[in-house]
Amino acid sequence: MQEKLNQFERNKVWELVQRPTHQNVIGTKWVFRNKMNEDGYVVRNKARLVAKGYCQEEAPCAWYDRLSSFLLQNGFTRGKVDTTLFVFEKGQDCLLVQIYVDDIIFGATNESLCKKFSKLMQGEFEMSIFGELNFFLDFKLSDAKEGIYISQSKYTKELFKKFGIEEGRTVSTPMATNIKIDKDEKGKSLDESKYRGMIGSLLYLTASRPDIIHVVCLCARFQSNLKESHMSFVKRIFRYLKGTIQYGLFYPKNEKFSLKGYSDLDYAGNIDDWKSTSGSCQFLGDCLVSWFSKKQNCVSLSTAEAEYISAAFCCTQLLWMKQTLADYKCSFEYVPIFCDNISAINIAQKPGSS
């Protein structure tokens, strides 16, 4: 706690002023957390002094302002789309710095830039350097000659304990192919609190598990008026995860750097309102980097219309990714979308289509 107070004073993140009249003073409290590695061992004890957010209108981004000002003064440029990204260029080499609250991830095309950045930051701020990134926000990163493997195996194991699903047999698929999930209005009602916690945890897990994104998003539609059948669908997802704990994403080292997207849908798959569900994924070279499953807002009268809407969702995501990647000095003149419906493709190619 004293170390944190000393950091506030050194970094000048606040200014002591006279108490204003006729104004409420926002209180503070200490938050304690143990920072662990992928094996569950404590590597650092952290203490944070935070404002009580529930009794204030806006909390100031004092740390971000202080850090960003320092980086900009030292030759970095801020990302236009992602304002937590800072880039430093020197000749043909570049250094990328990504900020997440009070954690910083950085990497460079030249190792000497990383060493200089570490020295620069430690000379200005009180900070610890943990070396090569191998565990961050419950993601385990394994670096090899062939590429990088990312998984949330530790997080998955913790979910089994959290929700008491450590027993039971495994299944080979996250959902049954011959059963549709619906409102089940005649089914037995259950308390929603545990179900909502399970859905929230599974949604975070989809960041490295695209194989469960569709069924998790389906189950997320029934967080109110929960029935016993909905809970059985979620428990099946956990039984599938139990047999696939080590599944994750592999990103091979490849110089091919094309951007492309794939679009598909489940036409009128929701038997309660007959709306379609769009599915899409985006690749950067051979690497799967983005995916989603989303129910469409309207009822489509044909598969061509539904496929066109799904392709539009994919296009929106690709345009955002193209703009974001420009901050990383990556440009793309041709970004294809792959769709398996000829009618939807013809509609998109007509002059005036939007």
Side-chain angles (χ1 to χ4, degrees), residues 280-315:
S280 176
C281 62
Q282 291 74 34
F283 281 80
L284 198 57
D286 297 327
C287 302
L288 176 63
V289 294
S290 176
W291 51 91
F292 70 83
S293 175
K294 184 179 186 299
K295 187 170 76 168
Q296 295 183 359
N297 296 327
C298 59
V299 177
S300 298
L301 302 180
S302 67
T303 55
E305 180 185 356
E307 290 274 11
Y308 181 77
I309 294 173
S310 184
F313 284 153
C314 181
C315 182

Side-chain angles (χ1 to χ4, degrees), residues 21-43:
T21 58
H22 309 297
Q23 295 290 332
N24 292 327
V25 175
I26 299 171
T28 59
K29 67 177 182 178
W30 285 99
V31 177
F32 305 101
R33 177 173 173 259
N34 290 329
K35 194 166 188 176
M36 301 182 180
N37 61 12
E38 67 273 19
D39 298 318
Y41 293 105
V42 177
V43 294

Side-chain angles (χ1 to χ4, degrees), residues 308-331:
Y308 181 77
I309 294 173
S310 184
F313 284 153
C314 181
C315 182
T316 301
Q317 180 69 6
L318 286 171
L319 287 174
W320 178 84
M321 293 176 65
K322 183 180 178 181
Q323 293 175 335
T324 301
L325 288 167
D327 289 337
Y328 292 86
K329 311 305 176 185
C330 299
S331 60

Side-chain angles (χ1 to χ4, degrees), residues 88-319:
F88 179 81
E89 295 181 87
K90 184 177 181 181
Q92 298 296 318
D93 294 313
C94 71
L95 170 70
L96 301 175
V97 176
Q98 188 76 56
I99 301 171
Y100 182 80
V101 191
D102 59 350
D103 290 319
I104 301 175
I105 301 174
F106 59 94
T109 55
N110 190 316
E111 189 176 355
S112 64
L113 289 179
C114 288
K115 293 179 179 179
K116 290 180 180 179
F117 177 72
S118 299
K119 187 177 180 180
L120 175 70
M121 294 297 291
Q122 289 182 311
E124 181 70 15
F125 303 102
E126 190 76 22
M127 61 186 305
S128 301
I129 304 295
F130 287 99
E132 186 175 341
L133 182 67
N134 50 41
F135 192 75
F136 185 68
L137 298 177
D138 287 319
F139 288 84
K140 182 178 181 180
L141 295 87
S142 303
D143 195 6
K145 291 182 179 180
E146 297 79 15
I148 298 175
Y149 175 71
I150 299 176
S151 70
Q152 292 174 278
S153 55
K154 177 178 175 290
Y155 176 76
T156 306
K157 293 176 183 177
E158 291 173 349
L159 293 185
F160 296 141
K161 295 181 180 179
K162 179 179 180 181
F163 298 110
I165 314 178
E166 299 182 78
E167 302 294 333
R169 62 184 180 87
T170 62
V171 293
S172 58
T173 59
M175 66 179 295
T177 57
N178 59 343
I179 301 177
K180 292 281 188 179
I181 184 171
D182 60 9
K183 290 182 179 179
D184 191 15
E185 295 179 344
K186 296 182 179 180
K188 180 181 177 181
S189 298
L190 298 177
D191 179 65
E192 295 106 347
S193 56
K194 181 179 179 181
Y195 185 84
R196 290 172 178 171
M198 297 168 82
I199 291 296
S201 299
L202 288 171
L203 284 171
Y204 186 68
L205 185 59
T206 61
S208 68
R209 295 295 298 266
D211 52 334
I212 64 171
I213 182 69
H214 179 63
V215 64
V216 172
C217 290
L218 283 179
C219 293
R221 301 172 187 174
F222 304 97
Q223 296 184 68
S224 60
N225 196 20
L226 176 67
K227 302 296 181 180
E228 193 173 35
S229 60
H230 304 144
M231 181 64 80
S232 65
F233 270 87
V234 172
K235 287 183 177 179
R236 181 189 174 97
I237 301 174
F238 278 92
R239 287 163 56 200
Y240 168 73
L241 293 172
K242 191 175 181 66
T244 59
I245 292 177
Q246 300 302 325
Y247 279 20
L249 295 170
F250 179 70
Y251 293 106
K253 294 180 179 179
N254 197 325
E255 294 185 359
K256 295 180 181 178
F257 220 56
S258 60
L259 179 62
K260 57 188 175 183
Y262 294 85
S263 171
D264 205 349
L265 91 155
D266 176 23
Y267 178 66
N270 190 313
I271 61 178
D272 292 315
D273 55 19
W274 301 110
K275 292 181 179 179
S276 302
T277 299
S278 297
S280 176
C281 62
Q282 291 74 34
F283 281 80
L284 198 57
D286 297 327
C287 302
L288 176 63
V289 294
S290 176
W291 51 91
F292 70 83
S293 175
K294 184 179 186 299
K295 187 170 76 168
Q296 295 183 359
N297 296 327
C298 59
V299 177
S300 298
L301 302 180
S302 67
T303 55
E305 180 185 356
E307 290 274 11
Y308 181 77
I309 294 173
S310 184
F313 284 153
C314 181
C315 182
T316 301
Q317 180 69 6
L318 286 171
L319 287 174

